[in-house]
Amino acid sequence: MPFSPVTQTCTPVRGEINVRRDLTEVCRDAASQAVTIIREAVRLRGRCSIVLAGGSTPRSLYEVWARDLATKIPWPQVDLFWGDERYVPHDDRRSNYRMARESLLGHVQIPAGNVHRMDTSFADIDEAAEAYERLLKRYFTGARPDFDLVLLGIGTDGHTASLFPGSPAVEETDRWVVAVDAPADPPKRLSLTLPAINAAANVFVIAAGSDKAEAVRCALEGAPNVDVCPASGIRPESGRLSWWLDDAAAALARIP
Ligand code: 6PG
């Protein structure tokens, strides 16, 4: 049953669920809602911290920012971070930084010093994770990285960022950034942890396609089971969670 393109709200712990007909509409509306968050954060605190998602789904959202909304975003006051990164050089076709550079960074006037990519040049990936955590702790003064907005995708297996089912990383409670061995190409990755993600003021999870429907259902329904479905652990401590789904990705989730 195709969902009508209206915002449907699930129980508060699951956040707001926005369903649209296709990825284009999802990214158009999510990008616009994100601009509202960005502008409010800058109005209130003079800065806005955003975590970019990797993979392919968010590319369309970044393109909307760059093409249609660039003049509405106060780039000099925006700081960009990454939720995860494949441990490859930044010009590697698999790099999340490269995807963001191609779809967004190369098209907007954001100061280079505002772009805080995960450094993948360390010989020891654990040192890279520690370095990024130090970077975050220099930026955030509190006990947690309270990003203004974290963008996430979800894998067909229920992973989010680079937190995969069965990985010890899904159980991490103290560190903000970890190195992981993923069942994906490339296997070595850096990822924010669930405590870091859940400290955010706003979290958007963006998914499209029927191949994501079971993962979305698993993440939205029942008690969280992060070992099986890491995305079920996306539960902001006090922030707002918004799912942005196309009809196909929402098809199996019972949305009242
Ligand atoms: C990554 C992402 C990852 C991604 C999902 C969905 O580095 O791959 O951070 O969590 O969001 O794998 O990827 P797609 O958007 O390509 O389906």
Side-chain angles (χ1 to χ4, degrees), residues 168-176 178 193-195:
V170 302
E171 304 289 353
E172 179 61 46
T173 56
D174 297 319
R175 287 180 293 170
W176 298 2
V178 291
T193 59
L194 285 172

Side-chain angles (χ1 to χ4, degrees), residues 99-184:
M99 185 273 278
R101 188 186 65 218
E102 291 172 345
S103 57
L104 176 63
L105 305 180
H107 307 280
V108 298
Q109 301 303 312
I110 186 167
N114 292 19
V115 180
H116 311 281
R117 65 188 187 186
M118 290 179 161
D119 186 344
T120 59
S121 65
F122 290 83
D124 180 342
I125 189 172
D126 289 312
E127 287 185 23
E130 290 160 10
Y132 203 67
E133 181 152 333
R134 287 196 300 272
L135 181 153
L136 294 179
K137 288 185 173 176
R138 286 194 298 270
Y139 185 89
F140 293 101
T141 54
R144 290 283 193 224
D146 53 340
F147 296 105
D148 292 295
L149 175 61
V150 171
L151 302 178
L152 294 170
I154 184 170
T156 57
D157 61 357
H159 81 259
T160 192
S162 279
L163 303 173
F164 285 81
S167 166
V170 302
E171 304 289 353
E172 179 61 46
T173 56
D174 297 319
R175 287 180 293 170
W176 298 2
V177 187
V178 291
V180 301
D181 277 313

Side-chain angles (χ1 to χ4, degrees), residues 53-58 84 86 96 152-155 159-162 189 212:
S56 56
T57 301
D84 70 320
R86 290 83 176 275
N96 288 335
L152 294 170
I154 184 170
H159 81 259
T160 192
S162 279
R189 298 174 177 221
K212 302 293 176 74

